[in-house]
Amino acid sequence: MELSGGQKLEAYRRMLRIRRFEEEGMRQFKAGKIPGTLRASVGQEAAIVGACLAVRDDDAMTGTHRSHGHPIGKGAHLDALMAELMGKESGICKGRGGSMHLADRSVGIISESGIVGGGIPLATGCAFSAKVRGVNQVTLCFFGDGAVNQGTFHESLNMASLWRLPVIYFCENNGYAISTSVAQSHGQSDIALRAAGYGMPGVTVDGQDVSAVYEAAAQAVARARAGDGPTLIVADTYRFDEHSFGMVISGPPYRSVDEVERYKRDRDPIALYRVKLLEHGVNERSLAAIEEEVAKAVERAVQFALSSPLPRPDTLPDYMFNSPLEGHDSSIDGPERN
C-alpha cells in the first residue's frame, strides 16, 4: 500500500501545516498570547501525517498532551485550532480545552488528554462501540513511549485483543518521556515486542519517513476493518524542542546539543520528504505553491484568533455536565442562571 500521487502532495501539505502552525504557536506563546503551556510536535510530523492519511475522515482518533499536530494531520482547519490555543470563544472547544484538551468531532477526534496514557482506554472504548454498533470504523490511538509503562496500555491492549477490536495503537517513540530515555525506563527497549504478549502484530517503522508510516498504518487499518483486531505500531521519531516550550531542565542535560542538531540536520521529516518528492518528479513550483498556501493559512489563523473575543466570565459553567439526581435539591448548588 503506497501513497497515491495526490496523497503525496497532501502529505507534504499537512506536515508543513503542522510545522508552521506550531512554530507560529511558539511565537505567540512568547508574545504572551497563549496562556498555560505549549508542547510542540516539531520533528514528529511524518509519524502523525502518515498514520492519519491511512484512515478515513469518519474514523475516530485520540491524541496526547502533544496534540496540535494530530487534528491538523487529520485535516482540521487552522483558524479554530489557533483560537483554542489562545483560549478564545471561537476556538474548537470554545476556549475551554486549550493546548492539551482539543477535540474536533468534525474530523473524528474524540479526545486529547493531558494525562499520560489517558487516551488509550478511550480509544479502546470507542473501538468497542464501533464493533457493537456494527459500523465499519476504526480508531487511531496516539500515545508516546512514556505511556507504554502505564497500566492503561496493558489493560487496553489485552482487552482489544480478546475482543478483536478495530483499533490501531500508535506509539510515537521520540525516545524521551520528558527527560527520561527509553533505555532508562523500559526493561527492554523494543516497544513493538510488547504486542506479542497480547497476541497482536507489533510493527516498528521509521517515523521520519511519511511513506513508510503510511504503509504500516494502512496495513493495520485494513486488518482492523476486516475484523482481525488491533495492531501496535511503533514509529521511531524525534522531538526537536523541549518537552514543554520554555521548560528548563535542572541538573545535567538529558540529551546533548549535538544529538538535537544532528536530528534537525539529517532527520528532519519535512526536508527528507521534500527531497524525495523532487527526486520522484514533483515540480518545484508545486511545492513552492503549497508552501505559500500554508504560510497564508497560518497567518489567517493567527489574525482570526487574535481578533476573536475571550469567553465571558458568566459563561464559565457552560458546556459542563450538570444533571441533578432524582430527589436532589438543586437549590443548594446556588441561584439559577438565566
Side-chain angles (χ1 to χ4, degrees), residues 113-130:
S113 176
I115 300 172
V116 174
I120 301 176
L122 296 177
T124 305
C126 188
F128 177 70
S129 170

Side-chain angles (χ1 to χ4, degrees), residues 14 17 70-78 81 92 104 106-107 109:
R14 293 191 189 188
R17 280 163 66 88
H70 297 129
I72 299 172
K74 208 164 184 290
H77 295 291
L78 302 185
L81 289 176
I92 200 68
D104 186 355
S106 69
V107 289
I109 300 172

Side-chain angles (χ1 to χ4, degrees), residues 82-320:
M82 185 64 76
E84 187 62 35
L85 264 58
M86 293 187 185
K88 298 299 185 72
E89 183 69 34
S90 59
I92 200 68
C93 298
K94 306 294 185 181
R96 273 74 170 175
S99 172
M100 289 195 293
H101 298 94
L102 300 170
D104 186 355
R105 293 188 62 182
S106 69
V107 289
I109 300 172
I110 61 170
S111 172
E112 294 174 354
S113 176
I115 300 172
V116 174
I120 301 176
L122 296 177
T124 305
C126 188
F128 177 70
S129 170
K131 185 166 186 176
V132 168
R133 290 181 291 118
V135 296
N136 190 25
Q137 292 175 321
V138 303
T139 301
L140 176 60
C141 175
F142 285 102
F143 53 91
D145 48 278
V148 172
N149 287 330
Q150 293 283 0
T152 54
F153 172 85
H154 305 279
E155 295 165 2
S156 295
L157 268 67
N158 187 58
M159 186 178 295
S161 182
L162 283 170
W163 294 344
R164 303 177 76 83
L165 299 183
V167 54
I168 294 89
Y169 296 106
F170 192 94
C171 177
E172 295 174 90
N173 178 19
N174 62 26
Y176 298 96
I178 304 181
S179 58
T180 304
S181 70
V182 169
Q184 292 174 306
S185 57
H186 292 60
Q188 61 83 24
S189 59
D190 190 343
I191 295 172
L193 288 179
R194 303 205 184 197
Y198 307 107
M200 69 177 69
V203 181
T204 300
V205 65
D206 180 0
Q208 306 306 85
D209 183 341
V210 68
S211 298
V213 173
Y214 171 81
E215 290 171 17
Q219 291 176 14
V221 168
R223 183 173 183 274
R225 290 205 205 281
D228 294 329
T231 300
L232 171 63
I233 297 175
V234 181
D236 290 336
T237 184
Y238 197 79
R239 164 171 51 83
F240 286 2
D241 297 295
E242 281 301 339
H243 165 73
S244 180
F245 185 62
M247 183 180 74
V248 177
I249 301 292
S250 60
Y254 66 93
R255 58 181 184 175
S256 68
V257 173
D258 287 345
E259 177 184 302
V260 177
E261 291 306 312
R262 184 172 69 253
Y263 269 92
K264 289 181 177 180
R265 181 184 66 247
D266 300 333
R267 299 291 290 151
D268 184 324
I270 297 176
L272 291 172
Y273 196 55
R274 195 181 198 283
V275 170
K276 181 180 289 188
L277 289 174
L278 292 172
E279 289 176 347
H280 285 77
V282 175
N283 192 296
E284 171 75 37
R285 290 192 299 275
S286 298
L287 299 182
I290 290 174
E291 290 156 7
E292 182 178 0
E293 168 201 322
V294 169
K296 290 180 178 179
V298 172
E299 182 180 355
R300 286 195 302 271
V302 170
Q303 294 307 313
F304 173 81
L306 289 173
S307 63
S308 296
L310 290 164
R312 299 193 317 273
D314 65 302
T315 65
L316 178 63
D318 290 356
Y319 316 111
M320 296 175 68

